Amino acid sequence: MQVVVAVEGLWFAPGTDGPPVRSQRRHRIDAQLFAAPDAEAAYRTAVAWLPGFSDKNHDGPGESTRMFAIGLHQLEEVLPRRSELSTAVGEPYGVDVGGYAPSDVDSDGVSVHG
């Protein structure tokens, strides 16, 4: 499955709870590979996991970051069926299983974005 996640940074004036003085939103796609007996069960699992793609933290005074899932790709768009996999990996560009920007992780492979 591929989940579109919004990462929203909010900055507030010191000592205020008021509206943010600056905000920034970027998006990423998180990819998960898991086993399921059929497409319906896979979809139910993916939907049940969506709340797990949300989080919020405060990186310092006046700064807040929140992450939340905004979309779920159709599962059949992510990977070919098991019976088609051996052929698909031989196609030009193979099979997309997700990616990340190296600047998004530290030297141990841990996300620097929380």
Side-chain angles (χ1 to χ4, degrees):
M1 79 175 191
Q2 291 181 327
V3 178
V4 179
V5 177
V7 180
E8 185 174 62
L10 303 170
W11 292 267
F12 301 90
T16 69
D17 294 338
V21 294
R22 190 181 108 184
S23 66
Q24 176 185 29
R25 183 182 284 189
R26 62 186 180 86
H27 298 88
R28 69 176 193 232
I29 296 177
D30 288 353
Q32 305 291 323
L33 181 63
F34 62 95
D38 56 43
E40 290 79 20
Y43 182 75
R44 285 191 304 275
T45 298
V47 169
W49 287 354
L50 283 178
F53 290 90
S54 297
D55 196 8
K56 185 172 184 176
N57 62 54
H58 297 279
D59 295 331
E63 185 176 345
S64 174
T65 302
R66 68 182 189 125
M67 292 144 283
F68 53 94
I70 60 171
L72 176 66
H73 285 282
Q74 292 294 322
L75 296 175
E76 60 271 9
E77 294 174 0
V78 180
L79 290 174
R81 292 185 158 100
R82 187 183 323 178
S83 62
E84 301 166 346
L85 188 58
S86 61
T87 302
V89 295
E91 296 291 327
Y93 303 106
V95 175
D96 178 14
V97 292
Y100 66 94
S103 61
D104 286 345
V105 296
D106 64 16
S107 61
D108 294 321
V110 176
S111 173
V112 297
H113 300 294

